[in-house]
């Protein structure tokens, strides 16, 4: 190891955006591997990521999709763990998760495990990365999986976006082609493909261009020792040559899928950057991006355009090193020109007046190690050398004439070209020569109010209550010192107009949310079957102003809204619907006007806002009870045609929203998932997606049993799901007491204390909302939700799980079918 640094491990963690109290260490091993350990004391899970600096741009032209196939093949068994489904079973038994991702330059595999499983988890992760087995028969089978997935992806705009993006790349560069992989690009001769995979793996999966990252509660030194010990098993090798610059001359492309969705449009503007300079000046680029996202640009555009979304990123999908802006909608050429001129002008301003102290985003503990591993795996060949480059060297790359434009345009009349492999429609989109930006608008101003003096007693207590409003005060848990103040408000709202209301509210809030973030404040707004709500957190002196402005943006009588274009596989889209479902929720009742402040210094402002909101809701008659739009019957809902595959999903709601029901459904998903996949995919051969997944909506647990097939009709898929539950559903839950205890131990990490302050506030607030919806509501503050969850898990017995399986097989639980037939 040759790790030297003058920066403390906690300072490294702060700069990397990890939660307060974290520590971070990185090292380079003698075999060339980069390892990074992050100690996050409040983390419940240990996240392990192995990444290699190889992606689909490294494939040979005669075998496109090989990197994607290799990602699949890593899970088909390794030298010490030869079973094709062994990793899935091992992770599932411990209540963990696993997945993988291949992009243009990196491939990563990630595991989420209980901390006690870290050592063995690294053994398995390193073995699959270093010594995978390429069984020809299994490889040939995976090609068929990729074939089915490719055809399903033809309904996903993300695939067509990448194809259109290729039109902006140089002739002859691999980025111009589709690399999803299918039978036509890979062939289906297992022995030949197994040999190609072995050669590709042996050439690219070398320690010099790989990284291992660990994040969790284990002591920093222990994590680093494990990474170093296991990482030495990865083969030493030289770093391959640097990839060629992919981009052609600056220009633009308009595109849309073969079957476009009415009204769907968006615009991406991006400035590609040399890897060395992007790495050397990452902090400065973050400051530039923060200035672009400080609310001023959003306010300026929204004054002239009904802007729904403005995202600024230095990690855009499919673009490599670049500064990118993504905006929607962009319905016509005039709008595109106005956006382009204004964004280019904003970037010029930001480049000379970057935000001096960019806000540190709330750490996403799932995403952070994955992103960090990809950066480390891809940076070895691009690490800056010699003297640091001056920031001025980046300015020519951020000039307006270096902008590239990607317009997801409506399917209007005009001359469109078609890409044969995917059917993507596209045409060149010339960049305007004259650019006149829109008149600049100031971002929303957050007024400062000196909070009242407060004793700051953190003990939860009722601060105010009358016939309309209930207001709580207290802070049952503090994970940071000093903690940020928080203010939460919730109120009843009609379920029938919720989708349109939340869409319009978030649109209205765009400049405010960005302006708040630039000042270190967080604003989270949402809604569910119990009503609408907001959470504001940060410095107490501006929270009242932030909440007032957010409420002023709330539309009690929303206009009809466009829907976002569908993305991902159909099965993924259906599973996402479970998180907003009303099935089984209405029984809990509607939510009264409710508030919770962490400090009673914010109490008067919160009470005033709730009283005003009560009058507003009454005026607009928004007190429709949530359960009026709910139907617990055995409905069958048909999705509008969105692709060429057949899909069936059975949604099952738990008996109630108690911790006991949540644990039982999690356990049921664990018991059924592997058997369901085996029955639907291997034995019946119905489809390439067959999973059981746990979700929650308004606290009510639910399961989704989903199968996606390119050939079997939805009615037959529905019958197969029903047969599985009737014939195998109970048998798979006949657990011994010892097996039940082992599975419960695997779920303990789900029941621990929150990992971040933001998670703690969210859990406490949603628990308070659930209690407030009861009639009559109990007065005491509810118990800490994670403690209630742990107690409920400890009391479960195998008989309880079996009874739930019997109720499901007999149709005694609330159910709903979701079906899709091709066009």
């Amino acid at each position: 190891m040759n790790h030297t640094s003058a920066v403390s491990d906690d300072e490294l963690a702060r700069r990397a955006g990890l939660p307060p109290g974290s520590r971070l260490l990185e090292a380079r091993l003698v075999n060339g591997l980069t390892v990074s350990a992050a100690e996050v004391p409040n983390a419940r899970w240990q996240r392990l990521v192995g990444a290699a600096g190889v992606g689909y741009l490294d494939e040979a032209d005669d075998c496109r999709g090989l990197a994607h196939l290799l990602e699949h093949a890593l899970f088909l068994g390794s030298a010490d763990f030869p079973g094709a489904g062994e990793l899935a079973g091992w992770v599932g038994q411990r209540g963990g998760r696993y997945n993988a991702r291949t992009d243009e330059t990196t491939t990563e595999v990630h595991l989420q495990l209980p901390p006690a499983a870290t050592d063995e988890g690294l053994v398995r992760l390193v073995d699959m990365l270093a010594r995978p087995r390429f069984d020809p028969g299994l490889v040939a089978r995976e090609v068929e999986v990729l074939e089915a997935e490719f055809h399903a992806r033809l309904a996903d705009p993300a695939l067509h976006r990448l194809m259109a993006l290729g039109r902006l790349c140089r002739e002859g560069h691999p980025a111009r082609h589709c690399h999803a992989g299918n039978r036509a690009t890979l062939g289906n001769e297992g022995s030949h493909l197994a040999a190609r995979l072995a050669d590709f793996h042996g050439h690219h999966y070398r320690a010099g261009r790989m990284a291992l990252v660990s994040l969790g509660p284990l002591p920093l030194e222990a994590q680093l020792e494990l990474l170093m010990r296991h990482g030495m098993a990865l083969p030493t090798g030289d770093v391959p040559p640097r990839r060629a610059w992919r981009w052609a001359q600056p220009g633009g492309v308009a595109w849309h899928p073969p079957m476009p969705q009415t009204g769907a449009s968006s615009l991406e503007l991006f400035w590609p950057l040399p890897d060395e300079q992007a790495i050397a000046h990452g902090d400065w680029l973050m400051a530039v991006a923060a200035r672009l996202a400080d609310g001023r640009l959003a306010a300026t555009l929204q004054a002239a355009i009904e802007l729904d979304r403005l995202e600024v990123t230095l990690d855009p999908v499919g673009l490599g090193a670049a500064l990118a802006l993504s905006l929607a909608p962009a319905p016509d050429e005039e709008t595109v020109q106005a956006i382009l001129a204004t964004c280019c002008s904003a970037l010029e301003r930001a480049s000379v007046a970057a935000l001096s102290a960019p806000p540190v985003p709330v750490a996403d503990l799932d995403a952070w190690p994955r992103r960090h591993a990809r950066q480390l795996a891809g940076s070895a060949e691009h690490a800056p050398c010699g003297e640091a480059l001056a920031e001025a060297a980046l300015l020519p790359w951020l000039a307006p004439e270096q902008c590239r434009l990607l317009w997801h345009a409506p399917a209007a009349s005009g001359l469109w070209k078609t890409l044969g492999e995917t059917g993507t429609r596209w045409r060149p989109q010339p960049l305007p020569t004259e650019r006149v930006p829109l008149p600049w608008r100031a971002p929303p101003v957050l007024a400062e109010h000196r909070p009242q003096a407060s004793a700051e007693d953190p003990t939860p207590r009722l601060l105010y209550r009358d016939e309309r409003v209930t207001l709580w005060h207290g802070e049952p848990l503090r994970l940071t010192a000093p903690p940020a103040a928080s203010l939460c408000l919730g109120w009843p709202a009609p379920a029938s107009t919720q989708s349109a209301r939340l869409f319009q509210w978030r649109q209205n809030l765009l400049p405010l949310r960005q302006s708040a973030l630039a000042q270190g404040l967080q604003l989270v707004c949402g809604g569910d079957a119990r009503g609408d709500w907001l959470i504001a957190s940060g410095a107490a002196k501006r929270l009242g102003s932030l909440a007032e402005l957010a409420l002023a943006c709330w539309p009690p009588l929303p206009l009809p809204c466009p829907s976002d274009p569908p993305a991902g596989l159909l099965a993924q889209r259906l599973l996402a619907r479970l998180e907003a479902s009303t099935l089984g929720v209405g029984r809990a009742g509607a939510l009264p006007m409710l508030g919770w402040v962490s400090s009673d210094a914010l109490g008067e402002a919160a009470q005033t806002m709730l009283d005003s909101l009560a009058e507003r809701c009454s005026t607009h008659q928004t007190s429709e009870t949530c359960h009026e739009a709910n139907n617990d019957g055995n409905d069958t809902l048909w999705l509008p045609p969105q692709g060429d595959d057949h899909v069936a999903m059975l949604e099952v709601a738990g008996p109630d929203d108690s911790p006991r029901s949540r644990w039982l459904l999690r356990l049921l998903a664990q018991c059924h998932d592997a058997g369901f996949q085996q029955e639907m995919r291997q034995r019946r051969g119905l489809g390439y997606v067959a999973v059981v997944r746990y979700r929650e909506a308004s606290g009510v647990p639910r399961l989704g049993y989903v199968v996606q097939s390119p050939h079997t009709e939805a009615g037959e898929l529905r019958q197969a799901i029903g047969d599985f539950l009737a014939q195998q559903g109970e048998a798979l839950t006949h657990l011994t007491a010892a097996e039940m205890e082992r599975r419960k131990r695997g779920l303990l990490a789900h029941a621990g204390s929150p990992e971040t302050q933001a998670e703690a506030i969210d859990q406490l607030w949603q628990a308070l909302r659930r209690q407030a919806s009861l009639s009559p509501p109990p007065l005491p503050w509810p118990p800490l939700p994670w403690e209630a969850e742990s107690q409920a898990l400890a009391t479960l017995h195998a008989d309880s799980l079996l009874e739930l399986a019997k109720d499901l097989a007999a149709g005694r639980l609330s159910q709903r079918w979701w079906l899709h037939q091709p066009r």
Side-chain angles (χ1 to χ4, degrees):
M1 181 179 73
N2 57 355
H3 173 76
T4 58
S5 175
V7 182
S8 63
D9 49 22
D10 55 347
E11 176 62 15
L12 279 174
R14 187 193 66 80
R15 292 183 183 180
L18 291 170
S22 301
R23 301 165 63 206
L24 175 66
L25 273 180
E26 296 178 356
R28 193 72 175 265
L29 307 188
V30 293
N31 65 350
L33 179 71
T34 302
V35 297
S36 179
E39 178 186 347
V40 181
N42 293 315
R44 298 190 303 272
W45 298 95
Q46 198 74 32
R47 280 94 169 170
L48 305 175
V49 185
V54 55
Y56 56 74
L57 295 186
D58 300 294
E59 299 167 350
D61 289 340
D62 67 340
C63 205
R64 289 183 288 113
L66 193 64
H68 189 187
L69 180 62
L70 177 55
E71 175 205 312
H72 281 233
L74 291 176
F75 294 90
L76 298 180
S78 59
D80 289 341
F81 305 97
E86 189 163 341
L87 180 71
W90 182 82
V91 172
Q93 289 170 2
R94 283 147 187 82
R97 293 184 295 187
Y98 71 94
N99 213 329
R101 170 189 168 186
T102 300
D103 62 22
E104 70 268 30
T105 58
T106 57
T107 301
E108 48 103 346
V109 179
H110 53 272
L111 310 178
Q112 180 173 300
L113 298 166
T118 301
D119 193 357
E120 187 175 355
L122 279 171
V123 170
R124 292 172 178 269
L125 177 61
V126 169
D127 198 58
M128 71 185 294
L129 293 172
R131 301 187 297 166
R133 296 175 69 246
F134 300 119
D135 178 271
L138 296 179
V139 168
R141 190 188 72 185
E142 286 305 308
V143 172
E144 297 307 307
V145 172
L146 292 189
E147 170 76 6
E149 185 177 321
F150 171 72
H151 286 285
R153 292 281 182 197
L154 294 178
D156 185 356
L159 177 66
H160 300 284
R161 170 190 173 272
L162 287 178
M163 290 300 296
L165 188 62
R167 303 310 95 197
L168 295 172
C169 296
R170 294 187 298 108
E171 289 286 348
H173 196 280
R176 287 185 66 86
H177 306 295
C178 178
H179 292 267
N182 54 72
R183 195 186 301 127
T185 65
L186 290 166
N188 59 358
E189 209 290 299
S191 297
H192 173 72
L193 274 176
R196 293 289 298 261
L197 285 171
D199 288 343
F200 191 72
H201 175 270
H203 182 67
H204 290 287
Y205 276 63
R206 318 300 294 183
R209 69 180 322 189
M210 298 181 73
L212 281 180
V213 175
S214 172
L215 180 151
L218 295 180
L220 187 66
E221 294 74 17
Q223 291 190 54
L224 198 62
E225 188 276 329
L226 288 171
L227 292 171
M228 293 169 59
R229 173 156 51 88
H230 294 299
M232 287 303 299
L234 290 166
T236 303
D238 296 331
V239 177
R242 183 175 305 168
R243 299 178 183 91
W245 180 255
R246 77 179 79 172
W247 302 107
Q249 291 300 310
V253 165
W255 67 277
H256 66 76
M259 297 295 293
Q261 185 184 41
T262 303
S265 66
S266 62
L267 181 67
E268 293 178 72
L269 307 174
F270 61 97
W271 287 259
L273 302 170
D275 295 286
E276 299 92 337
Q277 297 197 28
I279 294 170
H281 298 297
D283 290 344
W284 181 76
L285 286 169
M286 288 178 59
V288 172
R291 176 63 75 191
L292 289 169
D294 68 357
R296 180 183 177 91
L297 176 58
T300 298
L301 291 170
Q302 204 171 67
I305 302 165
E306 292 184 353
L307 196 67
D308 303 330
R309 173 169 55 85
L310 168 58
E311 298 171 357
V312 185
T313 180
L314 297 172
D315 187 28
V317 176
L319 301 180
L323 173 70
L325 292 85
S326 178
L327 311 95
D332 51 48
E333 302 236 5
E334 184 178 354
T335 301
V336 168
Q337 293 190 16
I339 291 175
L340 175 62
T342 306
C343 289
C344 285
S345 178
L347 179 54
E348 289 180 308
R349 290 168 175 257
S351 298
V352 297
L355 202 62
S356 57
V360 177
V362 176
D364 183 334
L365 299 187
D366 287 334
W368 187 92
R370 297 171 55 192
R371 181 176 63 250
H372 194 55
R374 293 196 300 269
Q375 291 170 344
L376 293 176
S379 65
E381 60 183 288
H382 305 304
C385 54
E387 296 184 1
L389 301 167
E391 290 173 358
L394 269 181
L395 293 179
W397 295 94
L398 298 177
E401 57 269 18
Q402 292 298 321
C403 177
R404 274 77 169 175
L405 179 153
L406 196 62
W407 179 26
H408 180 183
S413 60
L415 297 177
W416 293 88
K417 303 178 182 181
T418 301
L419 296 173
E421 188 171 5
T422 60
T424 308
R425 308 295 303 280
W426 75 283
R427 69 185 183 204
Q429 182 65 37
L431 302 180
T433 55
E434 295 185 6
R435 297 171 179 156
V436 180
L438 296 167
W440 288 103
R441 298 295 184 102
V445 176
L446 297 175
E448 287 192 21
H449 300 290
R450 185 179 298 277
Q452 302 171 350
S454 169
E456 296 301 338
D457 178 6
T459 304
R461 59 186 173 85
L462 194 63
L463 195 62
Y464 174 80
R465 185 176 186 182
D466 63 15
E467 65 277 3
R468 298 189 304 177
V469 171
T470 301
L471 179 61
W472 288 87
H473 155 265
E475 195 167 18
L477 181 72
R478 294 185 177 185
L479 295 182
T480 60
S486 59
L487 186 158
C488 307
L489 302 174
W491 55 96
S496 59
T497 57
Q498 183 179 89
S499 178
R501 187 175 61 253
L502 293 181
F503 181 94
Q504 189 173 333
W505 192 20
R506 287 164 180 157
Q507 179 190 59
N508 297 345
L509 285 170
L510 178 60
L512 176 62
R513 191 165 51 244
Q514 291 191 348
S515 179
L517 185 61
Q519 300 175 62
L521 304 174
Q522 299 286 334
L523 177 63
V524 181
C525 300
D528 54 32
R530 287 193 171 93
D532 292 354
W533 51 268
L534 68 82
I535 300 174
S537 58
K541 60 185 179 182
R542 288 192 174 96
L543 279 194
S545 178
L546 176 58
E548 287 176 2
L549 292 175
L551 289 177
C553 293
W554 180 70
L557 299 175
L559 299 172
C561 69
S563 58
D564 291 329
L569 294 177
L570 277 164
Q572 294 170 327
R573 300 178 204 172
L574 278 176
L575 289 171
R577 288 175 179 256
L578 299 182
E579 298 176 9
S581 173
T582 59
L583 186 69
V585 177
R587 294 187 295 268
L591 180 75
M593 294 289 169
L594 181 67
W596 168 42
V597 292
S598 61
S599 166
D600 59 10
L602 297 167
E604 184 176 344
Q607 182 181 335
T608 300
M609 282 185 275
L610 286 171
D611 286 335
S612 175
L613 189 60
E615 290 293 333
R616 190 177 175 196
C617 289
S618 176
T619 300
H620 293 289
Q621 297 180 339
T622 58
S623 59
E624 170 194 332
T625 57
C626 302
H627 63 272
E628 289 178 8
N630 181 58
N631 187 340
D632 282 356
N634 294 320
D635 297 334
T636 299
L637 301 180
W638 288 88
L639 270 68
Q642 300 174 31
D644 295 330
D645 279 5
H646 309 258
V647 187
M649 181 178 76
L650 174 63
E651 175 188 5
V652 181
D656 51 42
D657 61 353
S658 67
R660 182 177 184 275
S661 288
R662 287 194 283 275
W663 287 125
L664 285 174
L665 261 71
R666 282 187 186 274
L667 285 165
L668 193 60
Q670 273 193 15
C671 293
H672 279 180
D673 186 41
F676 188 70
Q677 291 187 50
Q678 176 69 26
E679 175 70 12
M680 301 298 161
R681 292 183 58 181
Q682 276 73 47
R683 199 181 78 79
R684 296 194 182 212
L686 294 180
Y688 62 101
V689 176
V691 296
V692 183
R693 291 292 182 264
Y694 174 88
R695 296 290 189 269
E696 289 183 18
S698 302
V700 174
R702 59 201 61 242
L703 297 181
Y705 293 77
V706 61
V707 182
Q708 179 167 342
S709 172
H711 49 75
T712 305
E713 292 191 355
E716 187 176 343
L717 298 178
R718 174 175 176 164
Q719 183 64 47
I721 295 172
D723 290 346
F724 169 81
L725 293 175
Q727 298 167 10
Q728 301 184 43
E730 293 181 37
L732 290 170
T733 60
H734 276 280
L735 305 181
T736 65
E739 172 68 7
M740 183 69 171
E741 288 305 311
R742 186 182 61 75
R743 288 185 177 271
K744 286 163 60 175
R745 285 195 300 271
L747 289 174
L748 281 176
H750 290 281
S753 298
E755 296 183 305
T756 63
Q757 190 71 25
E759 183 186 358
I761 293 172
D762 179 71
Q763 287 195 31
L764 290 164
W765 172 235
Q766 300 305 340
L768 188 62
R769 292 179 72 234
R770 283 196 295 271
Q771 175 178 270
S773 67
L774 301 178
S775 182
L779 279 179
W781 179 275
L784 295 179
W786 45 90
E787 291 184 356
E789 299 277 345
S790 297
Q791 293 168 5
L793 179 61
T795 60
L796 288 185
H797 300 287
D799 290 346
S800 303
L801 181 62
L802 182 59
E803 286 302 315
L804 183 70
K806 290 180 178 179
D807 287 343
L808 175 56
R812 290 190 287 268
L813 299 180
S814 296
Q815 300 180 7
R816 177 159 51 199
W817 286 97
W818 300 77
L819 304 176
H820 176 268
Q821 290 279 75
R823 301 178 183 89

